[in-house]
Amino acid sequence: MTFALLIAGSILSVWLAGRLAERRGRSFRTWAWVGATIGPFALPLLYLFPNLHRKNGDALNGASMER
């Protein structure tokens, strides 16, 4: 039972790392491999890198500040 939960958690962390990376403008495939390698530690690691879909200082709702 414990082994099955461990395997399910590992598969879930691979998928979550890929999806979260994709939402933050990074490669799904690369971060899925990172998730497979280091497991759930990939999820907080993704938050250490900047979001590539918006520049630092932009509004969170996606509004752009044109000058």
Side-chain angles (χ1 to χ4, degrees), residues 29-52:
R29 181 178 285 175
T30 301
W31 280 94
W33 276 107
V34 171
T37 304
I38 64 174
F41 296 113
L43 301 175
L45 185 62
L46 271 166
Y47 284 108
L48 293 176
F49 292 106
N51 188 348
L52 297 179

Side-chain angles (χ1 to χ4, degrees), residues 2-36:
T2 304
F3 183 71
L5 289 174
L6 181 64
I7 295 299
S10 296
I11 292 170
L12 182 64
S13 70
V14 168
W15 183 77
L16 281 175
R19 292 292 295 160
L20 183 59
E22 195 173 48
R23 289 182 60 194
R24 296 181 62 83
R26 302 197 176 273
S27 169
F28 179 93
R29 181 178 285 175
T30 301
W31 280 94
W33 276 107
V34 171

